[in-house]
Amino acid sequence: MRIELGMLLTLMLGIGFLCQWVAWRVRLPAILFLLLAGILAGPVTGLLRPDKVMGDLLFPVVSLAVAVILFEGSLTLRFHELKGIGHAVRGLVTYGAVLALGLLAVAAHYIGGVSWELAFLFGALTCVTGPTVIAPMLRTVRPNARIANVLRWEGIVIDPVGALFAVLVYEAIASHQEGHSVQVFLGTVACGAVLGGVAAFIHGNLLRRHWIPEYLQNFGTLAAVLFTFSLSNALAGESGLLAVTVMGIALGNMRDVHIDDIMDFKEHLTTLLVSSLFILLAARLNWPLPDGTLFAGLAIFAVAQLVIRPVSVFVSSLGSGLTWRERALVAWVAPRGIVAASVSALFALRLESTGMTGADKLVPLVFLMIIGTVVFQSATARPLARWLRVAEPEPRGVLVYGANAVALEVTRALHAIDGLRVIVADDDWHGIRTARMEGVPTFFGNPASQAADRHLDLAGIGHLLAMSTHRELNSLVSVHYREEFGRDKVFRLRNLSPEESHGRVSLAGNLLAPALFGEDMTHARFDDLLHGGWRIKTTRLSDTFAWTNFLAQYGTDALLLFGVEPRGDLRVATGKQPLEPRPGWTVIALVPPAND
């Protein structure tokens, strides 16, 4: 059956959305479902034949999509964060990555039978762990905070660094293929680096001086990225990817340039491009694979999993302070992701067009590595973490969405409880700064964004309190974390009273989370009580001072907010779940001023 271009694009969007949705439901990396969907639609059933349908458009479309993906990933690298990521992470993203690159190249050459040039390109592509793959895996594995931080920061930092590795290796191969001298290669690298830096400087200053209106900043940035990519390729062949990578790193580290909105836009655009691109690229795989490729890919994966990763982690973490158990789990978890799949396919297209022998093996070997690491590590990492005794206990901590006065007052009370981890998330910088000054861990941004998936450390967190003044965002965040924590662990503080919201409840349906502190408590009423002198009190109950004694001392109007059981479990008071505090509980209540 022949599929026209319009139908092909529509079909890829629909399948991509379905794969992302399934990944969200089962809490597994979306890349796995995208690749499997592409293989099923392409080599298995033959429904998608991208080369025939797209023709000459295939290469430009893939090139521009990869350019945007690399730019978005490069924006996340902050030089000032490198100082605080610890010895182990610095080792993993520097000499550890170089060591892994070299060992993977050796494995690809001797096991996969590819030339040394392709072997080093394979090593550069597969030495990178993907942050978008690490995040959902960490939620499932739930290792202790030190392991989670090492793996999370490794994925964040090495993503753009690995892209730079891959681009530089490819530039060297392409230059050699065309018979260019070392000077031409260096000129190509210099052109991409300089043009990317200049583009970042110009665009950053336009943003800093507000010469681009806010509603055009996303559009302008996308246009600047694609123009920089095309211009660099025109000036020096194959230098465009390096140019956009350098542009992203430089722009992300410029002072006084607000790029948060651009980051959000690029995240959504990257989700769209990745979903479509992976299906498109996987559909191009030829089946059966080239002779010996399947066995070679599985053998390389086994060597990478059991030998190369442990060796690179052992060398990188010497003197880091990690225990052998923690180093063992870090050595086990290294899923490959977006950079490896997208860039390998683009490079393979280019190398095949030059007639390079063995280029057809690059994508199958990389895809087998991705599928192998994601499937195998997702299935085994959690049991291994438990066996090594480095898994987090039952998550009891709290994520508070909102940094307004009411949310911060509740946060202070929860943060004072020993052993209860609390994080405040919001895009209100003033409130976030206040929380930071009081020693409360924070996340500046939308906790339901992809940036939160990369940077928000949810180790030990098992509850959400949506207390923002934005009603719609409270609902969005509640829906997002309901799958993460469970329906009974997500709560919201009403912004409207039941009378005001009666007409809206039927529209919201079951999207609404249980109301915090009672059906009649709203954000405005809580704020009025605080301004009226009411205060939050924390008291430990006992056999001699029970809840009835607390009410006798502070007044029967006291409103119970939370209860913490002796073993540390948090109980949240809602309209549908009244609490009955018992001796041994720590109660957190809002008490009137006359009894303060």
Side-chain angles (χ1 to χ4, degrees), residues 93-169:
V93 302
T94 52
Y95 55 87
V98 174
L99 176 61
L101 188 158
L103 294 176
L104 286 165
V106 172
H109 177 70
Y110 287 106
I111 299 176
V114 299
S115 65
W116 278 113
E117 292 175 323
L118 282 176
F120 275 103
L121 182 56
F122 174 84
L125 290 166
T126 55
C127 71
V128 178
T129 59
T132 56
V133 187
I134 281 287
M137 191 173 291
L138 288 178
R139 293 182 193 139
T140 303
V141 177
R142 293 210 312 267
N144 65 35
R146 294 211 297 179
I147 295 174
N149 285 333
V150 167
L151 291 173
R152 187 167 52 88
W153 275 108
E154 180 198 7
I156 292 169
V157 177
I158 205 172
D159 202 33
V161 172
L164 199 56
F165 279 174
V167 171
L168 289 174
V169 172

Side-chain angles (χ1 to χ4, degrees), residues 492 494 509 512-519 572-579:
R492 84 194 192 286
R494 283 184 177 274
L512 295 179
L516 277 171
F517 317 139
E519 295 295 329
V572 182
T574 67
K576 297 180 179 180
Q577 185 180 351
L579 300 182

Side-chain angles (χ1 to χ4, degrees), residues 554-575:
Y554 293 106
T556 56
D557 291 335
L559 177 64
L560 180 61
L561 306 179
F562 305 97
V564 183
E565 296 183 355
R567 64 178 184 176
D569 289 333
L570 180 70
R571 302 298 181 191
V572 182
T574 67

Side-chain angles (χ1 to χ4, degrees), residues 265-413:
F265 170 70
K266 287 293 183 293
E267 286 175 358
H268 297 310
L269 183 60
T270 298
T271 300
L272 173 65
L273 292 176
V274 165
S275 301
S276 304
L277 187 62
F278 281 13
I279 295 171
L280 182 71
L281 299 177
R284 291 189 70 252
L285 288 173
N286 294 319
W287 190 264
L289 299 177
D291 290 342
T293 303
L294 179 60
F295 172 78
L298 294 176
I300 293 172
F301 156 68
V303 172
Q305 179 73 38
L306 302 176
V307 179
I308 297 175
R309 176 65 174 180
V311 168
S312 63
V313 169
F314 174 79
V315 173
S316 303
S317 59
L318 286 174
S320 65
L322 295 176
T323 67
W324 73 266
R325 297 175 185 274
E326 292 170 334
R327 293 164 76 184
L329 188 61
V330 171
W332 194 255
V333 179
R336 275 57 171 184
I338 289 173
V339 169
S342 57
V343 181
S344 67
L346 176 60
F347 289 169
L349 278 171
R350 294 186 174 183
L351 294 174
E352 286 174 11
S353 66
T354 65
M356 186 173 187
T357 304
D360 59 331
K361 293 185 178 180
L362 181 62
V363 172
L365 290 177
V366 171
F367 279 25
L368 285 170
M369 177 71 78
I370 293 171
I371 295 173
T373 54
V374 172
V375 173
F376 183 75
Q377 294 171 16
S378 295
T380 60
R382 178 61 180 172
L384 180 63
R386 289 174 173 170
W387 182 74
L388 291 171
R389 298 195 295 275
V390 293
E392 276 285 317
E394 193 66 25
R396 298 187 173 98
V398 182
L399 172 63
V400 179
Y401 173 47
N404 50 74
V406 171
L408 289 179
E409 197 66 29
V410 171
T411 298
R412 292 184 186 102

